Amino acid sequence: MNSSNAPRFDLLLHAYGRAADTPGHLDALTAEDPAARDAAVYHLNSAIVHQGTPWTATGPATEYVTAIIRRGAVADGATLVELLRFLGEVAESAAIGAEDDIESLARPAGRDIEAEVAAMLESDDVDAVDGGDDSGGDDDREEDDEDVAYLLYEDEVRADALFAHAVLGCRAALPGIVAAAAYAGTHPDERVRAEAAETLAAATAALPADTPPH
């Protein structure tokens, strides 16, 4: 996750606030330490997609997961099964709001939501955002991150836009999910192939009708 093209996860959100901890978990998905891999998978299933709800960090995290699967970097079969299951959840999230104008929700007239979010998340002083008194130190940063995330969702228009961005991120990741599932469908482990087939079906079903066949 050290690439200059890597997304700014500290300016993205997951279920528990700022997603600054996500790159470390993504790197751990290919680690030799099974405990680190398990913690990383748990992060995906609890923070990146939480009870079926996507967040702005979901799309970029998904693109990373599909990339490591497609290059054969996930050696552990059990981890690969869990990652394919996660991708299936993302594919299902991409179908949320299929009848709504998600694009319009993501870009409300007269608002630059991305700039608003970046300004709030880049602030080192949560109280400068909410008008309070900053009396804490570095130990309060995690709590401040959660407070800023909460404030982001207080504005109904911004909350709708953030959710729409999250869904659009899932939709943008669908071709990669299809490709990753197709790649995993040739894996020697039957469990991996079975999960890949389910993920491929979910992602294909969520693709727009005019998408070229993979």
Side-chain angles (χ1 to χ4, degrees):
M1 294 301 293
N2 294 323
S3 168
S4 59
N5 295 323
R8 287 278 308 273
F9 276 96
D10 59 319
L11 299 183
L12 299 174
L13 298 166
H14 56 43
Y16 303 109
R18 189 195 308 258
D21 55 340
T22 297
H25 286 296
L26 294 177
D27 286 338
L29 290 171
T30 53
E32 294 183 4
D33 180 4
R37 292 198 306 270
D38 289 347
V41 168
Y42 180 80
H43 180 77
L44 293 178
N45 292 325
S46 62
I48 300 301
V49 174
H50 182 75
Q51 298 179 353
T53 300
W55 308 82
T56 57
T58 305
T62 299
E63 291 176 5
Y64 181 89
V65 171
T66 59
I68 61 174
I69 291 176
R70 292 169 66 184
R71 70 170 186 261
V74 184
D76 180 67
T79 300
L80 185 51
V81 167
E82 291 297 329
L83 293 183
L84 288 165
R85 190 168 294 142
F86 162 76
L87 294 180
E89 290 282 334
V90 175
E92 291 178 4
S93 296
I96 294 174
E99 304 301 321
D100 299 328
D101 187 355
I102 294 293
E103 292 281 355
S104 294
L105 283 175
R107 298 169 180 82
R111 300 281 294 272
D112 187 340
I113 297 298
E114 291 185 5
E116 290 179 23
V117 172
M120 294 177 74
L121 291 178
E122 285 183 322
S123 174
D124 290 328
D125 180 3
V126 64
D127 296 297
V129 175
D130 66 10
D133 173 41
D134 180 26
S135 56
D138 292 340
D139 291 342
D140 294 326
R141 181 57 185 264
E142 183 175 347
E143 182 178 347
D144 285 354
D145 286 349
E146 295 175 357
D147 289 344
V148 171
Y150 175 80
L151 292 169
L152 284 168
Y153 286 95
E154 279 194 324
D155 182 305
E156 183 176 352
V157 173
R158 187 165 56 223
D160 287 345
L162 286 170
F163 183 70
H165 274 285
V167 173
L168 290 173
C170 293
R171 293 180 184 177
L174 284 172
I177 294 175
V178 168
Y183 177 89
T186 64
H187 197 278
D189 189 325
E190 183 179 355
R191 299 170 304 161
V192 173
R193 295 197 304 273
E195 197 63 47
E198 291 191 19
T199 300
L200 181 59
T204 301
L207 283 169
D210 59 352
T211 303
H214 68 277

